[in-house]
Amino acid sequence: AHAQASRLREGVSAAESGGPAVTGTLGVLPAVNAGDIAHLVVAGSFTKPGVVCSGCGLLARSGAGCPSCGQATREVDDVVGEVVEAVLAGGGKVTHTRFASLLDTDGIGALLRFALP
């Protein structure tokens, strides 16, 4: 658990300083859509509703039409679960924290493969 806490602090610090990490669903969703997540961390049983594009699989918090391909989206109760599946399918790592941490406010964070522009 100590190594996990240390890695989590490193990721949150990187995100705050503009490094190759993001926090919160608004940071994580574009990164997962770009296939850019190396390691996803989810705080406890954090969930958020969202949408999934039925055409290209794009994940978003809301929207009736996909901004990427224009297809219809379907609502899901837990877009975070969809993010977890996408990260694992893309060869990334997923960790669920079970302890109080810096990530509790945002609920989700990720270390990226590449720094965002």
Side-chain angles (χ1 to χ4, degrees), residues 36-109:
D36 194 20
I37 295 181
H39 188 170
L40 179 75
V41 181
V42 181
S45 58
F46 179 73
T47 63
K48 285 281 184 189
V51 297
V52 179
C53 174
S54 49
C56 69
L58 184 105
L59 303 174
R61 283 298 313 276
S62 62
C66 177
S68 180
C69 73
Q71 294 290 316
T73 60
R74 63 179 169 83
E75 291 186 7
V76 292
D77 292 334
D78 179 20
V79 77
V80 175
E82 300 285 337
V83 169
V84 167
E85 289 182 25
V87 169
L88 291 173
K93 183 176 177 183
V94 176
T95 301
H96 288 271
T97 64
R98 298 284 182 223
F99 53 88
S101 73
L102 298 170
L103 195 59
D104 287 350
T105 302
D106 294 312
I108 191 170

Side-chain angles (χ1 to χ4, degrees), residues 18-43:
V22 290
T23 58
T25 52
L26 294 180
V28 168
L29 288 170
V32 76
N33 289 329
D36 194 20
I37 295 181
H39 188 170
L40 179 75
V41 181
V42 181

